[in-house]
Structure formats: structure tokens, C-alpha cells
């Protein structure tokens, strides 16, 4: 089988992974006592969800940093993307959270407003940190209005476009051609219906029903308005969520999936499409779904 990424199809979102500092008052109960390693280094716990080749790259970066000096030691801990936020909030509440966490930029505003994340505008103010080389539109995604002041509340770590990936065998078997590549969200849902088999042996798309902030932003009004107020109940969001409820009820995608489960559904041949980043190329190849 071959996977094809449509350059014509709608772009689902641009995915930004940000590195955020968890607020000291939240994770340390107000204490500034630093944990140290056996050899006296200050231990810095970092949570991340990079489990593919990007995880090996991150491990290499961490190892190089730890060897480069004798003052700090990064302890990089893998946490599933699907639960990293929920786990972090639980741990922060109990005073046992990480020092840094990587998460999607769409999570940054809410957690910065409530004080979970410690904003780092002063880090950007020091040009010796190289922050003037950051891409402006990426930095904009982690700049939020906090109590009337524009604050930068994270450091960009990874930026990649997501796309719709297709199992071309299933695509061709359904009688679809290049002319059927969807240009809008509604067209994507209609194509998914055509790719779904009524006997339940094949779903049109593996679409997670978790982490929908980018979808709401693209098809509704988003989770937050510009002044930072929750807007989940706007008429645009309601209309989109009602549409998606009907889509799931129609059996065109498995319900209850996170992104990991969606990728597994696609890579196993259970689903004909998935929305994910460029790392899916190698992952699909490793599963034998790259070439006939």
C-alpha cells in the first residue's frame, strides 16, 4: 500500500509544540528548594511526548546539554501526548509537577491565565538568548494577554504542518481520484463517508475526539476569544460540534480515540485517512504501509 499526502487538500492546522515553565508557586507549594542529583547538579524535570524519531533527537540534545556543564541535569521523561496535560494538572495541584513541560500552543493561554505556566517574557528581553532569531508568527502563538499585559509564556520547540494522509489502495477502491481531494472540512467529511464500509471493516477517517482546539479554531470560533474569555458555547462552535456528533454517530470514524489510537487505526489498515504531521510518513513505512 502507499500513503499519499494531498498538497491540494485542506490544511488541518499548524502544530506548535511549546516548552513551558510550570509556575513555581503551583508545583513547589511556594518552596524554592531545588532538587539535586547525587553528584550535586540541580535536577530539572522535563515532560515531553516525543515518542518517534523526534524523541531520539530530543534524547541526544538532552545528553549533549547534560555533558556540556556540571551545574544542571535535565531529566527528560516521556509522557503520552493524550494525557500529558491532565497528568500535569494533577501533579501540579499536589505539588509534584515537572519544572518544564512540552505541550501544544493551544493549551498555553488557559494555563498561563490561571498561573499554571510561568511566563518568560524576561527570557525574550535578553537578546543574548537568541530570541530575536525566532520566527515571529510562531512567537505570536505563545504571546498572551495576562492581566492586561502582553506576556510570552513559552518557548517554541517544534513547528510542523499537519495534513490529511490517505491509504491510496482504499482511495482507489472507493472510486476516488485526485479530483476528490477535499478543499474544506465539509468535503473531508463527505469523502470519509465514501471511504467507510457499511460492514464496519473500514472507517473513512481515524479522527480523534480529543484535542480539538485547532479544529474549533478552523471551523468555529475557537476555545478562547481575543480577550481571553472562554468561548466554547458560541453558536459557531455549537454548530460545528453538532455536525461532528452526527458524523461519529454515523459510524464513519471510531469514537473515543486520541491521536495515538488514530494513528494506530490508520497504520493497521482499519481507517482510510488520518490527520497528523509529517512524522507519519516514516511511521507508516515502518508498518509496511508505504510501498506496495
Amino acid at each position: 500500500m502507499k500513503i499519499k499526502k494531498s498538497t491540494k487538500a485542506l490544511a488541518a492546522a499548524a502544530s506548535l509544540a511549546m516548552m513551558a515553565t510550570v509556575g513555581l508557586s503551583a508545583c513547589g507549594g511556594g518552596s524554592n528548594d531545588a532538587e539535586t542529583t547525587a553528584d550535586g547538579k540541580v535536577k530539572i524535570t522535563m515532560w515531553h511526548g516525543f515518542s518517534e524519531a523526534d524523541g531520539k533527537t530530543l534524547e541526544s540534545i538532552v545528553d549533549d546539554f547534560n555533558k556540556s556543564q556540571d551545574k544542571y541535569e535535565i531529566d527528560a521523561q516521556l509522557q503520552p501526548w493524550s494525557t500529558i496535560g491532565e497528568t500535569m494538572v494533577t501533579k501540579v495541584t499536589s505539588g509534584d509537577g515537572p519544572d518544564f513541560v512540552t505541550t501544544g500552543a493551544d493549551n498555553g493561554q488557559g494555563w498561563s491565565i490561571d498561573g499554571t505556566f510561568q511566563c518568560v517574557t524576561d527570557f525574550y528581553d535578553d537578546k543574548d538568548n537568541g530570541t530575536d532569531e525566532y520566527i515571529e508568527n510562531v512567537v505570536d502563538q505563545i504571546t498572551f494577554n495576562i492581566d492586561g499585559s502582553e506576556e510570552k509564556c513559552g518557548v517554541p520547540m517544534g513547528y510542523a504542518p499537519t495534513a490529511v494522509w490517505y491509504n491510496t489502495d482504499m482511495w482507489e477502491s472507493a472510486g476516488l481520484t485526485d479530483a476528490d481531494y477535499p478543499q474544506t472540512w465539509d468535503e473531508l467529511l463527505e469523502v470519509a463517508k465514501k471511504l467507510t464500509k457499511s460492514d464496519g471493516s473500514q472507517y473513512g477517517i481515524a479522527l480523534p475526539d480529543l484535542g480539538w482546539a485547532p479544529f474549533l479554531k478552523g471551523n468555529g470560533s475557537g476555545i478562547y476569544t481575543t480577550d481571553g474569555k472562554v468561548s466554547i458555547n458560541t453558536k459557531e462552535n455549537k454548530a460545528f460540534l453538532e455536525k461532528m456528533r452526527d458524523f461519529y454517530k454515523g459510524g464513519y470514524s471510531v469514537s473515543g480515540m486520541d491521536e495515538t489510537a488514530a494513528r494506530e487505526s490508520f497504520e493497521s489498515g482499519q481507517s482510510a485517512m488520518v490527520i497528523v504531521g509529517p512524522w507519519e510518513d516514516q511511521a507508516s513505512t515502518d508498518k509496511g504501509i508505504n510501498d506496495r
Side-chain angles (χ1 to χ4, degrees):
M1 285 183 262
K2 186 186 289 184
I3 302 302
K4 185 169 185 178
K5 179 177 69 172
S6 170
T7 56
K8 303 176 186 176
L10 78 165
S15 176
L16 168 65
M18 60 179 281
M19 175 72 75
T21 305
V22 180
L24 295 177
S25 60
C27 71
S31 172
N32 290 321
D33 294 336
E35 183 179 356
T36 57
T37 63
D39 54 0
K41 290 185 178 182
V42 176
K43 181 180 179 180
I44 300 175
T45 302
M46 181 188 77
W47 285 5
H48 68 92
F50 299 112
S51 59
E52 302 289 342
D54 48 12
K56 292 182 174 59
T57 300
L58 177 62
E59 289 177 8
S60 176
I61 294 172
V62 170
D63 288 343
D64 288 345
F65 174 81
N66 287 341
K67 294 174 182 176
S68 71
Q69 43 73 55
D70 56 9
K71 188 174 182 180
Y72 302 101
E73 181 165 314
I74 303 292
D75 179 18
Q77 301 178 3
L78 178 64
Q79 299 281 341
W81 286 125
S82 58
T83 59
I84 193 170
E86 180 180 347
T87 305
M88 184 199 68
V89 171
T90 301
K91 289 289 188 178
V92 166
T93 302
S94 65
D96 191 29
D99 299 296
F100 293 89
V101 63
T102 56
T103 183
D106 50 295
N107 294 323
Q109 185 172 15
W111 286 339
S112 299
I113 290 173
D114 69 13
T116 301
F117 288 167
Q118 176 178 295
C119 293
V120 289
T121 302
D122 56 342
F123 175 79
Y124 284 83
D125 291 340
D126 185 350
K127 299 307 178 184
D128 288 340
N129 292 323
T131 53
D132 56 340
E133 298 179 7
Y134 292 169
I135 300 173
E136 183 177 355
N137 71 299
V138 175
V139 175
D140 287 345
Q141 294 187 50
I142 48 82
T143 303
F144 312 118
N145 188 307
I146 309 296
D147 295 328
S149 176
E150 291 297 310
E151 300 284 351
K152 295 177 176 62
C153 301
V155 177
M157 186 171 181
Y159 188 72
T162 56
V164 182
W165 292 77
Y166 306 84
N167 180 315
T168 54
D169 279 0
M170 294 179 177
W171 186 269
E172 293 168 3
S173 295
L176 298 172
T177 68
D178 289 0
D180 295 301
Y181 287 141
Q183 306 296 316
T184 67
W185 188 266
D186 287 342
E187 290 177 4
L188 176 67
L189 298 185
E190 289 305 311
V191 166
K193 293 176 182 179
K194 294 177 181 178
L195 287 165
T196 300
K197 292 187 176 180
S198 59
D199 62 2
S201 63
Q202 178 178 306
Y203 294 90
I205 187 169
L207 188 63
D209 46 18
L210 299 172
W212 271 29
F215 298 155
L216 283 167
K217 186 174 182 180
N219 298 279
S221 61
I223 301 252
Y224 296 94
T225 59
T226 53
D227 59 3
K229 295 180 180 178
V230 176
S231 61
I232 189 68
N233 61 343
T234 63
K235 63 179 183 180
E236 294 88 356
N237 281 345
K238 286 181 179 179
F240 174 68
L241 292 173
E242 288 172 356
K243 178 191 301 182
M244 295 311 302
R245 178 189 60 192
D246 293 340
F247 179 79
Y248 282 107
K249 284 184 176 180
Y252 307 112
S253 179
V254 180
S255 299
M257 291 189 299
D258 58 18
E259 183 177 306
T260 300
R263 292 180 57 196
E264 291 173 350
S265 177
F266 178 70
E267 293 164 12
S268 69
Q270 181 188 47
S271 298
M273 298 188 295
V274 71
I275 300 176
V276 72
W279 47 88
E280 183 59 35
D281 187 17
Q282 186 61 52
S284 298
T285 298
D286 292 344
K287 297 295 190 302
I289 310 180
N290 191 35
D291 294 314
R292 193 184 297 266

